[in-house]
Amino acid sequence: MPELPEVETIARRLNTVLPTKVITELTVFHPKSFKGHETEILNHEIKKVSRKAKIIIIELSNQLFLLIHLKMTGQLIYSHGQTRIGGGHPTADWVSDLPSKHTRIQLSFADGSQLFFNDQRLFGWIKVADDEYLRKELVKFGPDIIDPSLTAETLFNHFKKKSVAIKVALLDPSIVAGLGNIYVCDALNVAQIDPFRPSKSLSLDEVKKVLEASRQTVEKGIELGGTTFDGMYVDIDGFAGKYQGVVRVYGRENKPCLNCGNLITKKKLAGRGTYYCPSCQT
DNA sequence: CGGAGTGTTAGTCG
DNA sequence: CCGACTAACACTCC
């Protein structure tokens, strides 16, 4: 279920356990999920785990990187004895025996611990990358929405060239990275902007409001450990996020808008469910 | 059975 | 060549 807050949460958690682990075994259950050669990673040590956009970056001791994209249904689960650390799409795999039916990649470490990459829909991937490939991969992305150096002026200059809906422009990772469907719907409700408005119709002041609302929304998501829309798993410590408890519009069709009390509408925009308040988002 | 799902990109059309 | 839009990736759940 990853948007930026979930990916950030997973990266932070894994960074508390993976550094110093030495990879001793790679098992590829589904070849589509892995791009690289096992000889590039075996017997190398993990230095650190970080994130850019929605890509998790695992730095190895041999100057190579493991890049992981969870897409819609990816999970990463670290397992050591009774301990499990990770997160991602909420399914029973969180608590079932691993590897599970959806395990695509398994890394085993010298101390007997393991990292499982599960991905039901097979959209996600793990790639081995060198410095140059990593740079190439990251240059496709605009600045993270939470990057303090991103200004409203920069966004405004992108938006004024586009006639697509503001929501679509905000979801375009080449303009700004890290906004997904849940948080963009909520952010536009905070900013009280109609998601269907052409991005070029927004004034600089409105773009400022949108940027602030987006940052606030995504940062709140990170604080709360992301979003978990699945009641079964919300109590699993360290896996489920809590943002769904404060969600403003996403998934709240026909419920009252937290700004004005009018009812939230769901429409389709660019193929995605779009929740908003037609009364106060204008 | 049909539709929808938290992401991204390849392909088509104008 | 560009922007805008759609379908596709593959699977599960409702």
Side-chain angles (χ1 to χ4, degrees):
Chain A
M1 56 166 305
E3 289 204 28
L4 188 144
E6 292 77 52
V7 177
E8 174 71 16
T9 301
I10 292 169
R12 285 183 191 178
R13 284 186 192 143
L14 292 180
N15 196 45
T16 65
V17 288
L18 290 186
T20 77
K21 304 283 179 188
V22 174
I23 302 169
T24 52
E25 200 181 340
L26 166 75
T27 311
V28 178
F29 295 95
H30 202 295
K32 184 170 185 273
S33 306
F34 189 84
K35 303 262 185 327
H37 304 282
E38 71 172 9
T39 50
E40 298 172 298
I41 62 170
L42 285 195
N43 302 313
H44 293 290
E45 182 183 307
I46 292 177
K47 305 300 279 186
K48 74 169 179 192
V49 184
S50 57
R51 174 204 62 75
K52 163 73 192 183
K54 291 169 191 164
I55 295 179
I56 292 167
I57 303 167
I58 300 181
E59 185 186 338
L60 303 178
S61 53
N62 61 344
Q63 324 270 46
L64 294 182
F65 302 85
L66 283 172
L67 309 185
I68 304 174
H69 204 305
L70 302 175
K71 292 290 179 89
M72 307 270 277
T73 57
Q75 310 169 315
L76 279 174
I77 302 174
Y78 168 84
S79 171
H80 194 183
Q82 300 291 46
T83 305
R84 279 196 183 178
I85 291 174
H89 192 63
T91 69
D93 301 78
W94 281 2
V95 290
S96 57
D97 287 340
L98 294 172
S100 71
K101 188 166 77 165
H102 301 118
T103 299
R104 309 308 182 188
I105 308 293
Q106 174 179 346
L107 291 178
S108 302
F109 304 111
D111 64 356
S113 58
Q114 297 139 329
L115 182 69
F116 297 91
F117 172 67
N118 298 338
D119 183 21
Q120 166 177 291
R121 286 171 77 175
L122 292 171
F123 295 172
W125 39 254
I126 298 185
K127 297 178 184 175
V128 181
D130 59 16
D131 230 28
E132 193 194 333
Y133 187 93
L134 174 63
R135 253 201 313 276
K136 244 179 16 200
E137 193 77 27
L138 296 187
V139 80
K140 297 188 224 163
F141 293 100
D144 279 357
I145 184 69
I146 52 174
D147 182 340
S149 69
L150 172 65
T151 65
E153 285 75 11
T154 303
L155 279 185
F156 178 72
N157 286 334
H158 281 289
F159 293 165
K160 75 180 180 197
K161 289 185 286 206
K162 290 185 162 285
S163 53
V164 294
I166 180 60
K167 184 197 173 199
V168 173
L170 286 167
L171 286 173
D172 180 346
S174 70
I175 298 176
V176 53
L179 278 170
N181 203 30
I182 297 174
Y183 295 97
V184 83
C185 286
D186 269 25
L188 286 170
N189 178 255
V190 172
Q192 302 193 304
I193 299 286
D194 178 350
F196 286 84
R197 271 180 60 188
S199 71
K200 65 167 98 164
S201 76
L202 272 71
S203 68
L204 179 57
D205 269 0
E206 288 177 320
V207 174
K208 278 183 183 159
K209 274 207 295 192
V210 168
L211 175 59
E212 266 166 48
S214 302
R215 280 189 173 142
Q216 185 191 312
T217 303
V218 168
E219 274 160 14
K220 183 111 201 154
I222 294 172
E223 259 173 58
L224 297 177
T227 309
T228 307
F229 283 118
D230 193 322
M232 267 179 79
Y233 306 109
V234 296
D235 292 328
I236 301 172
D237 188 43
F239 273 75
K242 297 185 174 61
Y243 184 82
Q244 67 278 9
V246 299
V247 69
R248 299 181 63 87
V249 290
Y250 189 89
R252 293 189 61 242
E253 191 178 11
N254 293 323
K255 301 216 165 104
C257 169
L258 301 178
N259 300 322
C260 70
N262 287 293
L263 296 188
I264 297 187
T265 295
K266 178 184 183 184
K267 281 193 185 161
K268 201 151 223 182
L269 172 53
R272 320 293 301 213
T274 300
Y275 299 84
Y276 70 108
C277 172
S279 168
C280 73
Q281 291 180 244
T282 55

